[in-house]
Amino acid sequence: MGVAPYALGFAAANQEGTFEALPIQGTIPGWLRGSLIRTGPGTFDVGKQSYRHWFDGLAMLRRFSFEDGRVAFANRFIESRAYQEAQAKGQISRGEFGTTARHSLIERLRDPLPRLTDNATVNITLQGNHFLSVTESPMPIVFDPVSLSTLDYFHYQDSVPGQITTAHPHFDFRENAVYSYLVNLAPRCSYSIYRMDATSNQRELIGSIPVKQAAYMHTFGMTERYIILTEFPLLLNRLSLLVSGKPYIENYDWQPEQGTRFLVIRKSDGKVVHTGESEAFFAFHHVNAFEQDNEIVVDLVAYPNSSVIQSLYLEPLLHHSDQVIAAGELRRYHLELNRATATYEVLVEEPIELPRIHYQRCNTRQYQFVYGVGCSQSGHFIDQLVKVDVQNRNAQIWHQSDCYPGEPVFVAAPDAATEDEGVILSVGLDSQTQNSFLLILNAHSWDEMARVQLPYHLPFDFHGQYFDPIASSWSHLHR
Ligand SMILES: [Fe+2]
């Protein structure tokens, strides 16, 4: 099999740039007046070395700003320590998710433990007035939302213990607060659940849950009263992480006999009030969770095991493009508080990933629509957008040959009357023109409204957020 037709999506961006007005086909709604800011890899190469996994490339920010039907654009590398050291040394300096940094003996003697990466390539959040680019080390990078220049680390004023976190914190709109967790890799591992006011830099520890082996968890669920940590049996060998020299994720072992556990943690006091057990499965992304009657409903994108992680190394992505696993099964788990076993149903057959909802309106509540990417053929890479109606259990597709769309971000229309009144913003690659583009769909009708042409390609990215022009609130901020 030759090189994948979407290989350009894993090639370095040719340049950083700023454009005041990009060419548009179609019409952008006049009410769209904010900015979509995204993060993802900008390059997979440093000197003669290459990162090995999609999640590893050095982070680059992308910004699309909308005003009076026009679209401005900028892209710029994040000048993290990982980036600066790589530039200075001409080689990979910090280990990433699936790549190890090779150090000289002198460097290893001076610095025997692997250093955490600050390569903030996964998601964007807003804390107070600070725009943050984040990854799974608790070292968010503050950037200027207009110039995209790197400013500083976001400095926490607390001592909540932990070295690993999620790039997908949850926001509680009633409390105006963030909920998230850290994994503390002390000799006795624990999960530190915390809360942080929206404008603060102080995390309040609300609960600490001891565990024998920490699980790899990319996201978590949240209802009105509970945090749900879904502990997949992809479990950390702590000693291996410290001494093996293997890439970060390869120190986790898939132990299906352990099953998957849902830890239900009360937000008010940090107590684990329920543990739901299920057959082993793996997921990156929770979609939504809510309470109804005597149960907690948890929607997520499931895989039978953790082999999706192996599938997203660059070698299989580029050279075995008929055997890729890049989307999973949309499942609804039911956690009944008086029953140990969690049960599930498949919401639709259509594979999905990078799921988004109308977050401000629907998170922690009953809802109807999930937007995501999908695959037109089993074993192929992401090549379509999917809108799932979880109430009527059906899916609509946007697909076009040679196009590889990314995470669909929902932006609600002003005073939207219905859950899906608004637009979808998705950055895709057109392998025919060899350029990226921004696709704008009517989220309700699922029709294409406009397409914005970029003058070059961008590597495939992960997550982004839409911000109002005055970004002093989380009013349009989705996960
Ligand atoms: Fe994610």
Side-chain angles (χ1 to χ4, degrees):
M1 176 125 209
V3 172
Y6 48 78
L8 196 61
F10 295 101
N14 298 325
Q15 65 183 89
E16 298 169 297
T18 303
F19 300 85
E20 288 306 316
L22 292 176
I24 300 168
Q25 295 164 259
T27 305
I28 311 254
W31 56 260
L32 195 66
R33 299 180 65 83
S35 292
L36 172 71
I37 305 180
R38 305 185 55 78
T39 185
T43 184
F44 293 94
D45 304 313
V46 176
K48 290 185 179 147
Q49 299 179 343
S50 295
Y51 292 98
R52 299 170 65 229
H53 199 280
W54 184 15
F55 301 170
D56 292 347
L58 289 170
M60 175 177 268
L61 295 168
R62 299 93 156 121
R63 172 177 59 76
F64 294 85
S65 297
F66 307 92
E67 193 173 7
D68 301 330
R70 286 176 290 117
V71 183
F73 173 74
N75 66 311
R76 188 163 176 172
F77 277 103
I78 295 178
E79 294 185 18
S80 62
R81 300 245 167 91
Y83 175 85
Q84 290 175 329
E85 291 163 4
Q87 296 294 306
K89 292 167 70 175
Q91 60 184 50
I92 293 168
S93 167
R94 299 196 182 203
E96 299 292 340
F97 184 84
T99 303
T100 326
R102 279 188 229 118
H103 293 292
S104 67
L105 181 63
I106 293 171
E107 285 174 318
R108 273 181 288 154
L109 288 171
R110 202 174 50 209
D111 208 357
L113 294 180
R115 275 177 297 172
L116 288 177
T117 186
D118 59 351
N119 180 29
T121 190
V122 185
N123 202 0
I124 304 292
T125 70
L126 185 63
Q127 185 67 23
N129 292 322
H130 300 293
F131 285 82
L132 309 181
S133 194
V134 298
T135 181
E136 292 179 351
S137 61
M139 302 158 79
I141 286 184
V142 185
F143 65 91
D144 180 307
V146 178
S147 70
L148 302 183
S149 60
T150 302
L151 300 177
D152 194 3
Y153 285 127
F154 183 77
H155 298 285
Y156 295 104
Q157 299 293 321
D158 60 58
S159 54
V160 176
Q163 300 77 30
I164 301 169
T165 188
T166 173
H168 293 271
H170 268 294
F171 197 78
D172 187 317
F173 293 95
R174 290 174 312 156
E175 297 180 24
N176 205 29
V178 173
Y179 281 88
S180 191
Y181 63 86
L182 288 158
V183 180
N184 183 15
L185 300 178
R188 290 185 178 180
C189 285
S190 59
Y191 306 137
S192 306
I193 315 295
Y194 71 82
R195 178 190 180 284
M196 181 164 61
D197 284 339
T199 55
S200 166
N201 59 357
Q202 281 185 297
R203 297 166 295 192
E204 306 157 40
L205 183 68
I206 58 174
S208 182
I209 301 161
V211 283
K212 262 197 227 144
Q213 282 182 284
Y216 177 73
M217 300 177 288
H218 180 73
T219 57
F220 66 104
M222 186 174 84
T223 70
E224 274 193 29
R225 288 179 294 169
Y226 304 109
I227 297 292
I228 298 108
L229 285 190
T230 307
E231 259 199 313
F232 316 104
L234 184 60
L235 299 172
L236 178 64
N237 181 330
R238 183 177 170 277
L239 188 64
S240 169
L241 181 71
L242 294 177
V243 302
S244 73
K246 291 196 284 192
Y248 167 72
I249 196 63
E250 295 176 17
N251 298 293
Y252 288 81
D253 303 317
W254 180 246
Q255 299 178 24
E257 67 284 359
Q258 306 268 8
T260 291
R261 296 199 307 169
F262 295 88
L263 303 178
V264 179
I265 300 145
R266 195 157 50 206
K267 287 154 83 174
S268 61
D269 61 7
K271 292 271 183 310
V272 178
V273 297
H274 177 70
T275 302
E277 295 164 6
S278 95
E279 296 279 300
F281 72 94
F282 178 74
F284 289 115
H285 294 115
H286 287 73
V287 178
N288 198 3
F290 54 89
E291 299 163 35
Q292 67 175 15
D293 305 324
N294 260 338
E295 68 168 7
I296 293 172
V297 173
V298 180
D299 292 352
L300 44 74
V301 178
Y303 298 86
N305 54 51
S306 62
S307 62
V308 59
I309 291 174
Q310 281 79 46
S311 184
L312 301 178
Y313 277 90
L314 299 185
E315 200 279 327
L317 280 173
L318 291 174
H319 301 291
H320 303 281
S321 59
D322 56 348
Q323 297 166 41
V324 172
I325 308 166
E329 185 170 73
L330 185 58
R331 288 187 191 170
R332 170 160 293 179
Y333 277 85
H334 296 271
L335 314 182
E336 292 175 53
L337 298 184
N338 54 7
R339 200 174 132 177
T341 309
T343 58
Y344 78 88
E345 57 193 311
V346 177
L347 289 173
V348 286
E349 295 295 332
E350 196 64 48
I352 193 167
E353 245 316 337
L354 303 175
R356 300 294 295 244
I357 59 172
H358 184 161
Y359 187 76
Q360 185 179 10
R361 178 179 174 129
C362 300
N363 194 47
T364 77
R365 301 194 179 108
Q366 293 250 21
Y367 72 113
Q368 188 170 5
F369 299 112
V370 185
Y371 312 94
V373 295
C375 311
S376 62
Q377 282 180 265
S378 173
H380 282 212
F381 188 63
I382 292 159
D383 63 356
Q384 58 187 18
L385 295 175
V386 184
K387 176 186 179 184
V388 176
D389 179 335
V390 298
Q391 289 178 7
N392 295 304
R393 308 284 167 105
N394 59 48
Q396 282 175 279
I397 302 295
W398 182 93
H399 174 84
Q400 188 180 308
S401 303
D402 307 312
C403 284
Y404 301 91
E407 179 197 46
V409 174
F410 175 79
V411 183
D415 306 316
T418 57
E419 185 183 319
D420 61 350
E421 189 181 340
V423 296
I424 290 293
L425 306 177
S426 167
V427 181
L429 175 72
D430 182 335
S431 66
Q432 284 294 312
T433 64
Q434 303 266 294
N435 288 330
S436 295
F437 62 97
L438 174 71
L439 181 69
I440 304 180
L441 301 183
N442 179 320
H444 175 71
S445 68
W446 211 235
D447 294 327
E448 181 170 336
M449 300 172 82
R451 195 178 292 212
V452 182
Q453 299 295 344
L454 281 168
Y456 40 81
H457 86 277
L458 299 168
F460 294 128
D461 65 12
F462 303 112
H463 302 292
Q465 309 296 341
Y466 179 81
F467 299 93
D468 277 340
I470 302 163
S472 58
S473 78
W474 285 68
S475 62
H476 275 84
L477 181 56
H478 312 269
R479 254 168 82 212

